[in-house]
Amino acid sequence: MSTTALLHNVHKRVAAILSSKYPSTSTLHVSSSIPLYFSSTVAIATLRRLTRYDISTSSSRAFSTTLPQQTKTIKPHRLPSDLIPPYPYGERRVYKQSNHGLYGTARIRFGNNVAERHNNKSRRFWRPNVHVKAFFSPALGARVKTRLTLRVLKTIRREGGIENYLLKSKSARIKELGPGGWNLRWILMQTKAVQHRLNKERITLGLEPKEIENRDDIIHFALDYATPGPLSTRSRGTLNEMRVSAADAFILGDDSLADLEGVRELSDEVLLNELQELDDGHSTDARSRVVAK
């Protein structure tokens, strides 16, 4: 087939494609869209390009006016420490920067620079290879932005995500987490998704599953507290409820005993007088023992 015949065939196929895409343009002359001086290679490439991409004929807008769902970005060391149980191994006294990230067992290392010629030594140190990464947590519905070493980053990728890394219960992993990772682990364990996951593990081990508790208010307050900016109305309400419950829980004695006969209230003055009498009694006993000897 000659080049001219091939180009005419290409023109016909392009006209058929455009007429199927745009029925109102059936009278469109497409012979001028591909000049005759084009080679057969260019004509075939043009035909492939037209048939590869689907041109939408919809008159609606190609974009959405709906705002995307906003995702919080939290930092583990900003989570409320008063709400979370204390880290069992305590804060790290050496290289305190590791308390605010996932540093694993990495610390600053010290050594010497040794000269090749005279074997002179000078002190130096090596800092850990620290990066800043953000991971999305499906259970929390938020992004976790933290500092971490390259070794911890490789471990997270090998475990299949930051949640699998944090929820591993071996003692070595708990020691690697540090205070920042411990706080994030505790918040994760309050979510319903992780509670269901732990129940499945208990059933696999032959143990009875625990009841699923709704702790969404506490999780929302912790995430809001770890996010820059003021607290939301829901978080302020949760904080007030926790303060009231803590005040009610701190009670010395039983109020019902105040109505009984023979029961008197111990004020500060009464307690001081009784302590003074006890001290005087001990001193008198000590003097009598010395005189007896």
Side-chain angles (χ1 to χ4, degrees), residues 92-96 98-99 103-110 126-129 149 175-176 178:
R92 295 164 177 170
R93 301 298 180 181
V94 180
Y95 197 49
K96 296 183 179 181
S98 60
N99 293 325
Y103 283 63
T105 58
R107 302 292 184 273
I108 294 181
R109 296 181 298 166
F110 297 89
W126 292 268
R127 295 184 183 273
N129 189 6
T149 58
K175 290 181 180 179
E176 287 184 7

Side-chain angles (χ1 to χ4, degrees), residues 1-14 31 36:
M1 181 182 293
S2 63
T3 305
T4 305
L6 179 62
L7 289 176
H8 283 296
N9 290 334
V10 170
H11 292 170
K12 291 179 180 180
R13 296 188 62 182
V14 170
S31 59
L36 291 178

Side-chain angles (χ1 to χ4, degrees), residues 80-292:
S81 57
D82 298 337
L83 181 65
I84 302 173
Y87 181 53
Y89 298 99
E91 292 188 354
R92 295 164 177 170
R93 301 298 180 181
V94 180
Y95 197 49
K96 296 183 179 181
Q97 181 181 348
S98 60
N99 293 325
H100 303 310
L102 301 176
Y103 283 63
T105 58
R107 302 292 184 273
I108 294 181
R109 296 181 298 166
F110 297 89
N112 298 319
N113 282 331
V114 182
E116 297 180 359
R117 185 172 182 179
H118 300 290
N119 201 27
N120 294 331
K121 297 181 180 179
S122 58
R123 296 293 292 174
R124 64 156 297 177
F125 61 90
W126 292 268
R127 295 184 183 273
N129 189 6
V130 179
H131 301 263
V132 178
K133 294 291 182 180
F135 304 93
F136 179 75
S137 173
L140 294 175
R143 299 169 70 247
V144 180
K145 186 176 183 180
T146 179
R147 293 181 181 179
L148 74 169
T149 58
L150 185 59
R151 179 172 296 181
V152 173
L153 179 60
K154 292 180 179 179
T155 306
I156 291 175
R157 291 174 177 173
R158 184 175 65 248
E159 294 286 351
I162 191 171
E163 292 185 357
N164 296 334
Y165 173 80
L166 293 171
L167 295 175
K168 199 168 184 179
S169 58
K170 289 187 176 180
S171 59
R173 179 59 53 82
I174 301 298
K175 290 181 180 179
E176 287 184 7
L177 293 180
W182 172 262
N183 295 346
L184 192 58
R185 171 189 170 90
W186 186 86
I187 292 296
L188 273 174
M189 295 181 70
Q190 309 309 309
T191 59
K192 292 182 179 179
V194 176
Q195 291 184 46
H196 285 292
R197 174 178 174 178
L198 295 179
N199 278 340
K200 290 181 181 179
E201 295 179 359
R202 292 189 185 96
I203 294 174
T204 304
L205 296 175
L207 303 176
E208 294 183 359
K210 293 185 177 180
E211 184 181 356
I212 304 299
E213 299 181 6
N214 186 6
R215 301 172 182 171
D216 293 340
D217 291 339
I218 296 177
I219 297 171
H220 184 272
F221 167 73
L223 297 181
D224 200 5
Y225 190 91
T227 306
L231 295 177
S232 62
T233 305
R234 179 182 176 183
S235 299
R236 289 197 296 269
T238 304
L239 181 60
N240 294 332
E241 291 178 1
M242 289 190 294
R243 288 175 178 175
V244 170
S245 60
D248 294 340
F250 188 74
I251 298 176
L252 292 177
D254 191 356
D255 294 339
S256 61
L257 296 177
D259 299 334
L260 298 178
E261 296 182 359
V263 178
R264 61 192 182 90
E265 182 179 359
L266 293 178
S267 61
D268 296 340
E269 296 179 357
V270 175
L271 289 175
L272 291 176
N273 293 332
E274 291 186 357
L275 291 175
Q276 186 67 29
E277 291 176 0
L278 289 175
D279 293 339
D280 296 340
H282 285 301
S283 60
T284 304
D285 293 340
R287 291 174 185 174
S288 61
R289 290 174 186 174
V290 171
V291 172

Side-chain angles (χ1 to χ4, degrees), residues 69-73 136 141-143:
Q69 185 178 3
Q70 296 182 355
T71 304
K72 286 182 175 293
T73 301
F136 179 75
R143 299 169 70 247

Side-chain angles (χ1 to χ4, degrees), residues 6-7 10 13-14 17 34 38-53:
L6 179 62
L7 289 176
V10 170
R13 296 188 62 182
V14 170
I17 292 173
I34 303 179
F38 276 10
S39 64
S40 59
T41 306
V42 176
I44 294 173
T46 305
L47 179 62
R48 288 178 179 176
R49 191 177 299 110
L50 287 173
T51 56
R52 184 183 304 173
Y53 300 104

